[in-house]
Amino acid sequence: MPAVTVENPLALPRVAAPADAVARPVLAVTTAPSGFEGEGFPVRRAFAGINYRHLDPFIMMDQMGEVEYAPGEPKGTPWHPHRGFETVTYIIDGIFDHQDSQGGGGTITNGDTQWMTAGSGLLHIEAPPESLVMSGGLFHGLQLWVNLPAKDKMMSPRYQDIRGGNVQLLTSPDGGALLRVIAGELDGHTGPGSTHTPITMIHATLAPGAEVTLPWREDFNGLAYVLAGKGSVGAERRPIHLGQTAVFGAGSSLTVRADEKQESRTPDLEVVLLGGRPIREPMAHYGPFVMNTRDELMQAFEDFQKGRLGTIPAVHGMTETGPQG
């Protein structure tokens, strides 16, 4: 799990919650069910079973892999529409190509993030490059959906390609944790991702036995999802392991610890920390559309079926009329 690493974390800026910070309690720890997405790549549904009032402004998150593909096995998604939210694709291991019906897209690989604001709508495809399909190899990543407020749902689509080398790197006071700030702010240090809905997204790696207590905005929610390894969360030391999400309650700091002993194949605890300011608006969500009302959802389906969200570029050898269904 390379993402972005450094030889000496103690050379990085150090962050810690102040002594008078109010520790966030752990409200729940849930286990993600496994499934398949797109053309058949394995995913864990990180937020399944969590009440939306604890997730807002986040909608869903899939852990894609970790999977070691044999030659010919790598899979992606077919062309599909989006409207009304942002998709955040973070590649930890492997490589993915992405393209949309407006000519946007690119390639993301170890530690890169592709931030797509669907806004008023577009068609999109994600797939491994032909070289990976031929060779096989390791693939591991995340896709997060972030809601947009009603005033921004029909904005023009846009992309941000955030290269791994541009993330803000921080550490804990003892150097036991490497913190990659992808978006938002942590203790005055800002990540490169620009968001319409105020959020913080951090990929943290904790060495065995390490602990980190971070300042956390009181107007944000707090979530921790384990990508690999095992540890505990909160002052109450609730156990947590691969494929589990911790939901934090109110407060101004959150704590994560790595167990002293980790599995040999995952030497560290790998955690994604998420926080965001709740939008607190009605949400109508069905498939690839996230709107505020049922009427808006029906309009999105109609616009898609009539080709108003764009057409599939001919360079891919597909029809100009867009996918059906």
Side-chain angles (χ1 to χ4, degrees), residues 164-190:
N166 293 333
V167 301
Q168 173 70 65
L169 298 178
L170 307 169
T171 191
S172 51
D174 64 0
L178 174 61
L179 308 169
R180 307 167 187 86
V181 184
I182 297 168
E185 177 267 343
L186 181 66
D187 198 29
H189 303 276
T190 303

Side-chain angles (χ1 to χ4, degrees), residues 270-305:
E270 304 281 352
V271 184
V272 171
L273 302 173
L274 296 169
R277 183 191 298 156
I279 296 174
R280 295 194 177 95
E281 293 177 350
M283 185 177 71
H285 173 203
Y286 190 85
F289 305 123
V290 183
M291 306 304 293
N292 293 101
T293 67
R294 179 177 172 81
D295 286 347
E296 290 171 347
L297 269 187
M298 294 174 65
Q299 184 65 54
F301 274 104
E302 179 182 332
D303 289 348
F304 168 53
Q305 290 167 351

Side-chain angles (χ1 to χ4, degrees), residues 18 29 45 55-56 79 92 114 127 134 137 155 195 224 233-234 236 240 263 266 271 286 295 306 309 317:
V29 174
R45 309 290 192 191
L55 297 178
D56 185 12
W79 283 94
I92 301 165
Q114 179 254 310
M134 296 294 290
M155 68 177 294
T195 68
V233 286
E236 57 269 58
I240 192 169
E263 298 176 2
T266 54
V271 184
Y286 190 85
D295 286 347
K306 293 186 176 181
L309 300 190

